[in-house]
Amino acid sequence: MKDEDKTKRQLIDELRELRQQVAELKVSKSELKQAEEEVRLLQTMTMAISEARDFNSALGVALRKVCEATGWVFGEAWVPSSDGTVLEYSPERYSSVSGLEKFAELSERITFPPGRGLPGRAWTSKQSVWMHDVRLYMDFDFQRPEITMEADFKAGVAVPVFVGDEVVAVMVFFMFKPHEEDERLIGLVSAVAAQLGLLMQRKRAEGVLIESEERFRSVTQSATDAIISADSRGNIISWNKGAETIFGYSEEEVLGKPLTLLMPERYKGDHRKGLERVLSTGESDVIGKTVELHGLRNDGSEFPLEISLSTWKKGGEPYYCGIIRDVTERKRMEQELLRAEKLASLGVLSAGAAHEINNPLNVIAIQLHLFLKNKALGPPDRQACRTMLEEVERVHEIVEGLDTFARQMKAEREPVAIQEELSRVLQRMAENIQQPRIEVVEDFLPTSPVVMGDPSLLHQALGSILDNAVKAMPGRGSLTLQVREVARDGEPWVNILITDTGVGIRPEHLPKVFDPFFTTRKVGEGKGLGLSIALGIVEDHGGTISVESTEGLGTTFTIELPLERTRENSD
């Protein structure tokens, strides 16, 4: 009997324990179900917040979602003022019931200092603050007791929103009944606040990036230099206004095109090898340096440039940025400065040496003439004397040319009819032209343009260029003279174009044609001073000379001079 009683008690105890386990299991299932619902709710909120267009919109979504999920009747947000001294009312709010418009309207007129009221306490402490009955706090740190009482709010909670360690907003919720602190509920709202903080952080980063991109684009677009970016394959991905001006391509024409579009053919092989070397080794001979090269414009013309290259990586791939400066004008000025220095040196030399050279030359010439008068002198010796006299005369001409540079005389100016002066030069050169070996085409205006100048000097300058053109046509050819009136900066000018169909000038010789003593003719056939003197005379008259040539096809010299301003024009 005793054993039977003992067995019954054991069964009762086991049954009681089993019932307790079943009850705990039901609670666990209920908690699990609640946790799953909260996770789904949080996922829904997170999705809605992430899809918001900006932080304020996300705040509004969060307030509504929390109220809908918890049954709280009113949600609002407070944000730090621009100077960070107080919290200000955010325009984002949510109310699940009507009749709270006055509460929201009056709240807009209030600010919360640090530590005051629900928002201020959460802001200062950086922790959630729960008031199970706000009526108990009206006397000492509540900022809006009357309107809160009128709205009939009881329980309230404030949850800070962080970006890093900074509180960027405080969410506040109210309900109509007192409510003890609910850790699970605070955890849910804090999770929502964390999502808001992440969104704010992302939006800030995006804003900084957008601002940086806009600033970079503004700087690049306003730069006069070309700023061009390319991907790892050498295809253009960005193109500024400076590049458009320098190269002559619009952005639409070059995006996605290879950089070789902008290079002369001779550079393309080295460019491809350089890209391959960077991809394989990460090394480059030009990145981080400034180098001088030549670029290719849209019209096919080459020009000197200065380029600085840099690189960066994105997704493991190298990208490139080049800052390119057109140095055409700088090179031209350098050449002009070099020429001016040469002329100055020649002037100093000729000023001191012309007299000393001419005196012995005169003595030599006199002696040679005396020898030639000696009838006993044989033909070979007589020919030798004549040859020496020719060389003495050549030296005299060189000294006279140098003297032109040395004196740099400002002759008296008078009206000079350009077309008549060209005709006089042609008449003087008639024997050299030997028509019809060279056909002369005069494309003149009905009335000759008139410039103010020195007739003899202009005659000399025109003669030097025409002589150069004739000597460039050793066989038959054509010499064309064109005269045109043009306007420069609103002022009248005359253009004189002298075109031959001769041998042309090699590209590497073009920059040197006006240099003193530069000549491609054989020794004794030219002194290399004619074009230099012509340039000096034209510039002294306020004009310019330029030259264009294609080897084997011919050359065009263009002289530009300011026209005489008549009284009628000057008025």
Side-chain angles (χ1 to χ4, degrees), residues 33 35 65 75 159 279 355 390 528:
K33 184 178 180 180
K65 290 289 185 181
V159 178
L279 283 172
H355 179 72
E390 290 174 0

Side-chain angles (χ1 to χ4, degrees), residues 16 83 92 111 175 222 242 250 325 341 401 430 453 461 488 511 514 542:
R16 186 180 295 114
D83 60 5
E92 301 298 334
T111 58
M175 66 183 305
S222 62
S250 66
R325 176 165 296 175
E341 290 175 349
R488 282 179 54 177
F514 295 109

Side-chain angles (χ1 to χ4, degrees), residues 34-35 76 90 98 108-109 121 174 186 283 287 295 301 311 315 370 487 496 500 517 554 562:
Q34 184 178 0
E76 62 184 10
S90 167
S98 59
E108 291 178 353
R109 306 173 188 176
R121 290 172 63 183
F174 292 105
I186 289 180
E283 298 178 354
I287 290 175
S301 62
T311 184
L370 291 174
I496 307 161
D500 66 66
F517 298 112

Side-chain angles (χ1 to χ4, degrees), residues 229-235 237 259 274-284 287 310-321:
S229 298
D231 60 19
S232 58
R233 296 178 297 279
N235 294 327
I237 58 175
L259 283 168
L275 287 177
E276 292 170 1
R277 184 164 61 251
V278 172
L279 283 172
S280 60
T281 67
E283 298 178 354
S284 171
I287 290 175
S310 60
T311 184
W312 76 95
K313 283 194 174 183
K314 179 181 177 182
E317 294 284 328
Y319 285 75
Y320 309 94
C321 181

